[in-house]
Amino acid sequence: MKNIVILISGSGSNMAAIIRAAQREHWLERLGARVAAVISNRPDAPGMAQAQGVAREVVDHRDFATREEFDAALQHAVDSYSPSLVLLAGFMRILTPNFVRHYEGRLINIHPSLLPAFTGLNTHQRALDTGCKVAGATVHRVTPELDHGEILAQAVVPIVVGDTAATLAARVLTQEHLIYPQVIAQLLQTATL
Ligand code: GAR
């Protein structure tokens, strides 16, 4: 059985979408995989309450003096599940190159923009401020450079008159919930994980 570990920081709706998909028709089980654990860097992450039926852990970044120490503790927690895939799902910490290299080929992120446009934060407001007519989300491999790495899937949504960052984020999020499980299935079917 291939283990998947999901890292979250906030509401965890992408994580919940993956777990829901996994429970529907034993989707992941048929691909020989399971969500083994959800790990949050925030004890108060609302998403933790939704991580039903899987192991839950908190590695609180505030307990560590440096980014390196936090990443070492996180790596220790993640590795205890021997993961074939590590999914960043609204995980809002920049990861050190050592951490990223350790999971090379099995570390995936979802980002709320059409990369390479709008890396980093406040993607929806920046898309609106730029006058973009479309926005979207990208699932990509994680490399040491923030929000770079091979693009695995993208979803495009229209920007409509009257959109705010919040309305656009909600429209994009519904698409994120579709493309992230699709990419996981593709990777499990095609990659040597
Ligand atoms: C999602 O929109 C995700 O793409 C974004 O945070 C949100 C998390 O929502 N990720 C990033 O901005 C990473 N840089 P969720 O916690 O409900 O899945």
Side-chain angles (χ1 to χ4, degrees):
M1 185 66 75
K2 291 170 184 162
N3 284 336
I4 297 172
V5 172
I6 305 179
L7 305 186
I8 70 167
S9 299
S11 53
S13 71
N14 276 291
M15 170 219 69
I18 293 164
I19 291 178
R20 264 200 317 275
Q23 287 164 350
R24 256 195 323 264
E25 298 163 10
H26 303 285
W27 166 72
L28 276 180
E29 208 177 300
R30 284 189 286 107
L31 293 165
R34 65 172 183 149
V35 177
V38 173
I39 302 176
S40 171
N41 66 306
R42 291 188 169 277
D44 55 352
M48 287 307 254
Q50 296 185 54
Q52 300 297 336
V54 302
R56 285 180 281 190
E57 282 195 42
V58 174
V59 182
D60 189 338
H61 64 276
R62 293 168 302 190
D63 291 342
F64 301 90
T66 66
R67 204 173 277 284
E68 285 72 21
E69 284 172 59
F70 167 68
D71 278 11
L74 182 63
Q75 186 175 315
H76 184 72
V78 172
D79 280 350
S80 70
Y81 298 96
S82 306
S84 297
L85 279 177
V86 180
L87 307 177
L88 308 181
F91 186 71
M92 304 306 278
R93 299 284 305 170
I94 291 175
L95 294 162
T96 53
N98 277 348
F99 184 98
V100 172
R101 278 194 212 100
H102 180 73
Y103 297 105
E104 195 177 352
R106 49 192 177 129
L107 185 58
I108 310 295
N109 182 42
I110 189 156
H111 181 77
S113 79
L114 294 170
L115 291 174
F118 309 125
T119 60
L121 298 174
N122 302 320
T123 55
H124 303 302
Q125 190 58 54
R126 287 157 64 206
L128 291 172
D129 292 347
T130 309
C132 294
K133 301 301 179 205
V134 295
T138 303
V139 181
H140 65 98
R141 290 189 192 279
V142 178
T143 58
E145 196 175 353
L146 182 69
D147 298 331
H148 284 67
E150 181 192 354
I151 291 172
L152 299 172
Q154 289 185 309
V156 181
V157 304
I159 291 178
V160 300
V161 175
D163 259 342
T164 63
T167 59
L168 182 54
R171 191 175 309 121
V172 170
L173 204 52
T174 60
Q175 297 304 309
E176 294 187 35
H177 298 165
L178 300 177
I179 61 172
Y180 216 172
Q182 283 167 8
V183 168
I184 297 163
Q186 276 166 19
L187 288 171
L188 290 169
Q189 278 163 339
T190 57
T192 325
L193 293 171

